């Protein structure tokens, strides 16, 4: 009898999602051709919304649909960050949003569909959903995804290297103006409450200052550092600031609510930092760039294509081995798996006393601490 897998992508898109989907499908085709079992792979459109919708939006992932998709950004299955079945946003007549638990309804629908495995590709939030559905009897397998690299159960997530590359390319372009105009150029990058993208970009680009959520900064120390670089009226400074960076005193985080989303939206700290610097006496000319979603867009770099493809293959193999309740992971240069319990326990932020931070300081990068 042919076995069936359901694949879905949830949360923000990340370069490499399509490579995971293709990896699962190619490995399944190989197994069907040479192994003991026949497998078919299906995709639910827009995470679990494809299962909820009537008629359901579940497509068969044929070789025609998946050929060559590993080089494409985004996800052919579409995604949403407003489809958490445990906290599903339901618009109310008065315009407000009520969050309801639709997981029992989802489980009932999934049981009817009778999939032998369900592979959920997503970040922290998606893997918490995987864990909950596994506990409700579903054959869940997780694949970690996030450009923020904030999942502790895997050494690295696909999408991160692409984001860092895009940010570094952008940083290099801003250095030109900093040097030519003797300006302070502030570049804001994503990462939510983790400074991974910011610090990697700062090291790769050669920033003078890097501000990350894990190390609150002192605005007066930053002004002093900038002043020192502007002796004789000349100089320039390149700052990388993470969207979640925080000052030691006061607040800075720019955030707006996003209807239906469980998260606040970050973004815009570059402008606030600029104002803070001026208010604290910084005389230099300052310009701000908020990189935003370009960091998540376009084609994945080779590293992310490889990692994502291997994650896809491993996820399929976990399905054949019936290793449910586990998430694929990359640890110590090996593709392995961890329990969803372990996968969702710790948020992976930068440690102040880590070698990465110490080395960055050794390279002359100032954190404003
Ligand atoms: O988690 C990935 C991420 O890109 C964060 O770095 C960022 O804060 C957030 O998603 C943006 O989310 P959205 O696309 O919903 O605005």
């Amino acid at each position: 009898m042919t076995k069936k897998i359901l694949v879905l992508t949830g949360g923000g898109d990340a370069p490499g999602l399509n490579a995971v989907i293709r990896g699962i499908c190619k490995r399944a085709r190989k197994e069907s051709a040479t192994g003991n079992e026949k497998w078919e792979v299906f995709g639910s459109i827009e995470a679990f919304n494809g299962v909820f919708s009537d008629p359901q939006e579940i497509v068969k992932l044929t070789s025609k649909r998946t050929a060559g998709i590993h080089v494409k950004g985004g996800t052919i299955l579409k995604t949403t960050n407003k489809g958490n079945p445990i906290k599903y946003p339901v618009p109310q007549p008065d315009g407000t949003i009520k969050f309801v638990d639709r997981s029992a309804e989802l489980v009932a629908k999934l049981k009817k569909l009778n999939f032998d495995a369900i592979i959920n590709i997503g970040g922290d939030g998606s893997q918490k959903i995987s864990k909950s559905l596994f506990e409700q009897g579903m054959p869940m397998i997780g694949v970690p995804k996030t450009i923020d690299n904030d999942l502790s159960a895997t050494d690295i997530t696909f999408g991160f290297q692409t984001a860092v590359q895009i940010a570094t390319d952008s940083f290099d372009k801003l250095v030109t103006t900093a040097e030519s105009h003797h300006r302070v150029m502030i570049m804001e990058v994503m990462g939510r409450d983790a400074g991974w993208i910011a610090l990697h970009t700062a090291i790769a680009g050669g920033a003078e200052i890097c501000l990350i959520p894990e190390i609150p900064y002192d605005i007066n120390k930053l002004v002093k550092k900038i002043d020192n670089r502007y002796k004789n009226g000349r100089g320039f400074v390149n700052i990388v600031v993470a969207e979640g960076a925080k000052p030691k005193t006061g607040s800075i985080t720019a955030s707006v609510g996003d209807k239906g989303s469980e998260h606040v939206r970050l973004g815009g700290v570059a402008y606030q930092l600029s104002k803070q610097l001026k208010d604290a006496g910084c005389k230099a000319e300052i310009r701000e760039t908020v990189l935003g979603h370009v960091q998540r867009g376009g084609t994945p770099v080779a590293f992310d294509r490889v990692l994502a493809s291997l994650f896809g293959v491993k996820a399929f193999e976990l399905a054949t081995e019936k290793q449910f309740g586990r998430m694929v992971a990359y640890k110590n240069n090996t593709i392995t798996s961890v329990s969803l319990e372990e996968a969702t326990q710790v948020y992976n932020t930068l440690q102040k006393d880590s070698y990465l931070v110490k080395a960055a300081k050794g390279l002359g990068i100032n954190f404003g601490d």
Side-chain angles (χ1 to χ4, degrees):
M1 210 175 74
T2 303
K3 292 195 161 183
K4 295 188 306 174
I5 292 188
L6 183 68
V7 180
L8 46 113
T9 52
D13 64 336
L17 283 169
N18 285 326
V20 180
I21 296 168
R22 176 176 168 271
I24 297 166
C25 293
K26 281 194 86 89
R27 182 66 184 84
R29 275 176 225 132
K30 173 104 181 155
E31 187 69 20
S32 301
T34 57
N36 296 328
E37 290 170 331
K38 300 263 176 275
W39 288 84
E40 281 180 345
V41 185
F42 295 80
S44 170
I45 302 297
E46 227 186 65
F48 287 108
N49 284 345
V51 179
F52 278 129
S53 64
D54 185 14
Q56 288 177 325
E57 284 190 280
I58 294 173
V59 294
K60 190 165 170 188
L61 294 174
T62 58
S63 55
K64 201 170 164 199
R65 271 209 169 96
T66 58
I69 60 169
H70 60 301
V71 303
K72 284 191 188 162
T75 159
I76 62 161
L77 293 177
K78 316 296 175 202
T79 187
T80 179
N81 55 13
K82 295 178 186 136
N84 182 347
I86 305 157
K87 277 175 108 179
Y88 200 88
V90 180
Q92 301 300 297
D94 64 358
T96 58
I97 300 281
K98 196 174 156 196
F99 290 97
V100 295
D101 184 354
R102 293 183 70 186
S103 56
E105 179 192 344
L106 178 66
V107 167
K109 283 180 190 281
L110 286 171
K111 276 187 179 156
K112 268 197 189 152
L113 289 164
N114 206 18
F115 284 104
D116 295 283
I118 301 170
I119 301 179
N120 190 12
I121 314 168
D124 181 52
S126 298
Q127 299 319 330
K128 284 187 177 137
I129 296 168
S130 303
K131 180 174 169 275
S132 163
L133 294 175
F134 173 66
E135 285 162 359
Q136 294 175 66
M138 292 294 98
M140 302 304 298
I141 291 164
V143 175
K145 164 247 55 165
T146 166
I147 63 162
D148 303 336
N149 201 37
D150 55 7
L151 292 170
S152 61
T154 181
D155 289 348
I156 195 158
T157 49
F158 63 85
F160 172 66
Q161 292 291 347
T162 304
V164 170
Q165 192 59 56
I166 293 168
T168 303
D169 292 344
S170 309
F171 181 90
D172 291 348
K173 293 187 205 319
L174 295 173
V175 170
T176 315
T177 302
E179 288 176 350
S180 306
H181 284 263
H182 305 296
R183 280 180 180 160
V184 173
M185 300 299 281
I186 303 176
M187 186 177 86
E188 177 184 317
V189 297
M190 284 184 165
R192 293 206 72 88
D193 299 315
W196 295 102
I197 298 177
L199 187 49
H200 279 249
T201 303
I203 293 173
E208 284 76 36
I209 295 173
C210 178
L211 305 179
I212 57 174
E214 296 89 341
I215 305 181
Y217 61 86
D218 179 332
I219 196 73
N220 296 314
K221 285 191 179 164
L222 291 179
V223 173
K224 215 170 180 182
K225 164 79 183 169
I226 293 169
D227 278 355
N228 285 339
R229 297 259 314 165
Y230 274 83
K231 295 285 179 235
N232 311 319
R234 297 235 161 144
F236 65 90
V237 175
N238 291 286
I239 302 178
V240 178
V241 60
E243 62 181 359
K246 295 172 189 71
K248 276 190 178 161
T249 53
S251 76
I252 188 178
T253 303
S255 62
V256 285
D258 192 7
K259 262 195 173 178
S261 170
E262 295 163 57
H263 302 289
V264 290
R265 260 173 68 194
L266 299 177
V269 293
Y271 299 104
Q272 293 190 49
L273 174 65
S274 175
K275 184 172 181 310
Q276 282 186 349
L277 286 169
K278 284 174 203 151
D279 290 350
C282 179
K283 299 277 179 302
E285 230 187 322
I286 309 176
R287 292 289 186 273
E288 313 81 14
T289 301
V290 178
L291 270 196
H293 290 80
V294 293
Q295 292 159 94
R296 272 179 21 196
T299 183
V301 296
F303 181 91
D304 283 337
R305 292 183 204 181
V306 174
L307 184 64
S309 299
L310 300 188
F311 275 3
V313 168
K314 182 71 177 178
F316 174 79
E317 289 171 357
L318 289 179
T320 60
E321 292 157 12
K322 294 194 169 73
Q323 289 210 47
F324 304 124
R326 299 194 70 75
M327 184 186 82
V328 174
Y330 178 70
K331 280 189 159 193
N332 306 320
N333 221 12
T334 306
I335 304 289
T336 179
S337 72
V338 295
S339 70
L340 283 168
E341 176 77 40
E342 187 188 339
T344 49
Q345 260 165 15
V346 187
Y347 186 70
N348 184 27
T349 53
L350 269 166
Q351 299 304 309
K352 277 185 217 163
D353 54 357
S354 65
Y355 186 73
L356 187 62
V357 170
K358 282 186 192 153
K361 287 187 173 174
L363 289 165
I365 296 175
N366 188 303
F367 289 84
D369 55 342

